[in-house]
Amino acid sequence: YGGDTNLEAGVINDLNEFELGGGSDETVRVIALLDRHPEYSDASDNWSGARLFEITADVSGDHLDGQTPTIDSEPIAILDTLDTGNGEVLSQFLVWALQTYPAEQYALALASHGAGWAGIIADETDLDTLLTIPELTEAFSIAKESSGVERFDLIINDACLMSSVEYHNAMADFFDYSLASPEIIVNPALDMQIFTQTLREMTDIPISDLGA
């Protein structure tokens, strides 16, 4: 989750939706890498840099009274500043997550600025980098090789402009399903609360039905 842009507040809100959906349980594990910007939002104690989380259920209830959403999950690790617009960072996260949390099915959600065929996940702190299609394909190739997973199930593109043929043609080599986005994603973007609740309540739901 690339919040190292002017979308920082929106990305934090998106991550909070996983908590509102119940987070991890005995059958569904929700693991997140969140990178933040030092200026745009002071939510959740105003920390900056990057952190790893296993998402747990919301406990603050701040969404009920109009307060700024906060991240209640405790970090697994507090990391240095990362360039989340760099493919090597993505591949390192994927390899770690696949080895640490092996599963029968895998969904990957990417949230930040999107640029269609040019890429996804912008990072303003590191010279306005962007994960390009070649970087993404290399990261997914490394993740597959290291984990032994032949194909992943679903990639969710929670970013503007992510519906180009070029992008989804590249993702077809790695994912059975790729969820496109409209030209403009408006905060709070895709509803990951519904996504998480559905996974927890219907663990055998076909991916095609889940996407719908």
Side-chain angles (χ1 to χ4, degrees):
Y1 266 49
D4 204 348
T5 70
N6 60 349
L7 296 180
E8 181 185 13
V11 170
I12 291 173
N13 181 71
D14 292 343
L15 198 66
N16 180 245
E17 289 178 344
F18 286 104
E19 296 183 337
L20 296 175
S24 295
D25 63 14
E26 65 277 7
T27 56
V28 177
R29 310 295 290 274
V30 185
I31 312 303
L33 170 63
L34 171 63
D35 187 31
R36 292 186 59 173
H37 196 280
E39 296 181 7
Y40 290 112
S41 172
D42 59 4
S44 293
D45 298 326
N46 200 28
W47 56 268
S48 60
R51 295 185 178 185
L52 284 169
F53 297 92
E54 178 169 5
I55 302 300
T56 54
D58 182 88
V59 294
S60 60
D62 45 29
H63 64 290
L64 298 174
D65 54 11
Q67 296 183 32
T68 301
T70 59
I71 299 170
D72 297 330
S73 306
E74 292 295 324
I76 297 171
I78 298 174
L79 307 174
D80 294 331
T81 298
L82 296 178
D83 179 5
T84 41
N86 181 285
E88 185 175 349
V89 171
L90 175 61
S91 64
Q92 289 173 345
F93 169 66
L94 291 174
V95 169
W96 169 81
L98 291 166
Q99 292 178 348
T100 308
Y101 300 92
E104 295 179 6
Q105 294 180 291
Y106 296 96
L108 173 66
L110 301 175
S112 181
H113 283 297
W117 58 266
I120 190 171
I121 305 289
D123 192 304
E124 289 184 8
T125 302
D126 290 277
L127 302 177
D128 293 321
T129 53
L130 187 74
L131 282 171
T132 64
I133 290 179
E135 286 183 297
L136 288 164
T137 56
E138 182 176 5
F140 296 142
S141 296
I142 292 171
K144 285 178 55 177
E145 183 177 352
S146 69
S147 65
V149 176
E150 293 185 6
R151 291 181 63 78
F152 304 107
D153 296 273
L154 172 66
I155 182 169
I156 299 168
N157 302 285
D158 199 356
C160 298
L161 296 170
M162 301 312 298
S163 57
S164 71
V165 171
E166 297 89 344
Y167 177 78
H168 292 286
N169 183 62
M171 295 305 100
D173 290 337
F174 305 97
F175 295 89
D176 289 337
Y177 291 89
S178 181
L179 183 63
S181 71
E183 181 177 2
I184 300 295
I185 289 283
V186 180
N187 188 42
L190 301 183
D191 194 329
M192 304 313 289
Q193 178 177 353
I194 292 176
F195 175 75
T196 309
Q197 286 175 332
T198 303
L199 281 180
R200 288 166 55 94
E201 296 169 3
M202 305 172 63
T203 55
D204 59 348
I205 185 174
I207 300 296
S208 55
D209 293 346
L210 177 66

